Amino acid sequence: GAVVSQHPSRVICKSGTSVKIECRSLDFQATTMFWYRQFPKQSLMLMATSNEGSKATYEQGVEKDKFLINHASLTLSTLTVTSAHPEDSSFYICSARESSGGLPDTQYFGPGTRLTVL
Amino acid sequence: SQQGEEDPQALSIQEGENATMNCSYKTSINNLQWYRQNSGRGLVHLILIRSNEREKHSGRLRVTLDTSKKSSSLLITASRAADTASYFCALNSGGYQKVTFGTGTKLQVIP
């Protein structure tokens, strides 16, 4: 089946630093990837839709300048949390949809990245 | 975008029993999906049901969809301890396959 990886799986950083999270589709091409954030014991909230070769589409309330998304290739999207603060501590999960073939309407999720900002 | 409301929020059953969780929503959908999430992990896609379907099966899973009541249910039969996880419904209402997740049901299966 389709596999999505995320790196790193866990990161601890100091307040004010920037953190980059990578999301890769390992055995398929994905023109569209999605970034979610999940706070403890809560559901996943969609942050943005990442489109290969174009600007990401952000959900209402998500700061574009704080959460920079780059989808430079059909297999890689990156989320950079700039000037991270403790309130940004969360579980970040990406998902990808196959560009062609595969099961339609199905997203494949990465294992998630646990961000802790001290 | 709408979010599905799931109930119960938490469910604890004995191994071998059936587990049923429900998802209700407010506006029309293209499809509804169910996912499982083990603690601190990513999501695993379980099953997708389209708006023109009423019931789907996959192994021990049975999903129903009632578009008139705007609700779906996930039934896990003969539960196992390994089924312990959080279960989320996810609604697809628009383009680009964007989905919004429900509030989730935390299932505990006691051996």
Side-chain angles (χ1 to χ4, degrees):
Chain A
V3 178
V4 175
S5 70
Q6 277 184 245
H7 178 80
S9 58
R10 185 180 295 268
V11 58
I12 300 173
C13 69
K14 293 183 179 179
S15 185
T17 60
S18 294
V19 175
K20 179 186 282 189
I21 303 169
E22 292 185 350
C23 177
R24 291 181 186 274
S25 56
L26 297 187
D27 49 3
F28 66 98
Q29 293 186 331
T31 49
T32 304
M33 292 185 173
F34 303 90
W35 286 97
Y36 296 85
R37 181 169 53 186
Q38 184 180 33
F39 291 108
K41 299 183 180 180
Q42 294 188 26
S43 186
L44 282 76
M45 299 303 293
L46 179 65
M47 298 174 65
T49 302
S50 173
N51 304 299
E52 187 266 336
S54 65
K55 291 183 178 180
T57 304
Y58 289 82
E59 294 299 301
Q60 192 173 9
V62 178
E63 299 175 58
K64 302 178 184 181
D65 295 332
K66 182 165 187 63
F67 298 100
L68 301 178
I69 291 173
N70 185 287
H71 193 154
S73 77
L74 286 172
T75 59
L76 173 65
S77 176
T78 60
L79 168 68
T80 301
V81 183
T82 62
S83 187
H85 291 284
E87 57 266 30
D88 298 324
S89 298
S90 187
F91 193 52
Y92 292 87
I93 305 177
C94 72
S95 70
R97 187 177 71 89
E98 283 195 68
S99 299
S100 61
L103 292 172
D105 305 324
T106 298
Q107 294 183 31
Y108 300 96
F109 282 81
T113 296
R114 175 77 59 192
L115 171 63
T116 302
V117 185
L118 303 177
Chain B
S1 55
Q2 64 173 326
Q3 182 181 36
E5 292 287 331
E6 292 184 61
D7 79 272
Q9 290 185 343
L11 180 60
S12 183
I13 59 174
Q14 295 290 328
E15 200 166 32
E17 294 180 338
N18 295 342
T20 300
M21 47 207 94
N22 305 292
C23 173
S24 60
Y25 56 93
K26 294 181 180 175
T27 62
S28 62
I29 59 172
N30 293 332
N31 62 66
L32 186 147
Q33 303 169 43
W34 285 91
Y35 289 84
R36 183 184 71 218
Q37 183 182 35
N38 289 84
S39 181
R41 300 288 191 89
L43 275 75
V44 174
H45 182 264
L46 296 176
I47 201 165
L48 179 151
I49 187 165
R50 300 188 188 284
S51 58
N52 61 352
E53 297 175 311
R54 292 296 167 259
E55 187 171 311
K56 286 191 83 168
H57 297 256
S58 177
R60 294 183 296 113
L61 305 180
R62 173 177 169 250
V63 168
T64 62
L65 178 64
D66 188 334
T67 52
S68 66
K69 294 182 179 179
K70 293 186 170 56
S71 68
S72 174
S73 67
L74 170 66
L75 168 67
I76 304 174
T77 60
S79 64
R80 304 168 182 168
D83 295 329
T84 295
S86 291
Y87 292 82
F88 294 93
C89 65
L91 312 172
N92 173 239
S93 305
Y96 294 105
Q97 312 308 323
K98 185 170 78 171
V99 296
T100 53
F101 283 84
T103 49
T105 294
K106 190 167 185 178
L107 173 66
Q108 181 184 27
V109 181
I110 303 169

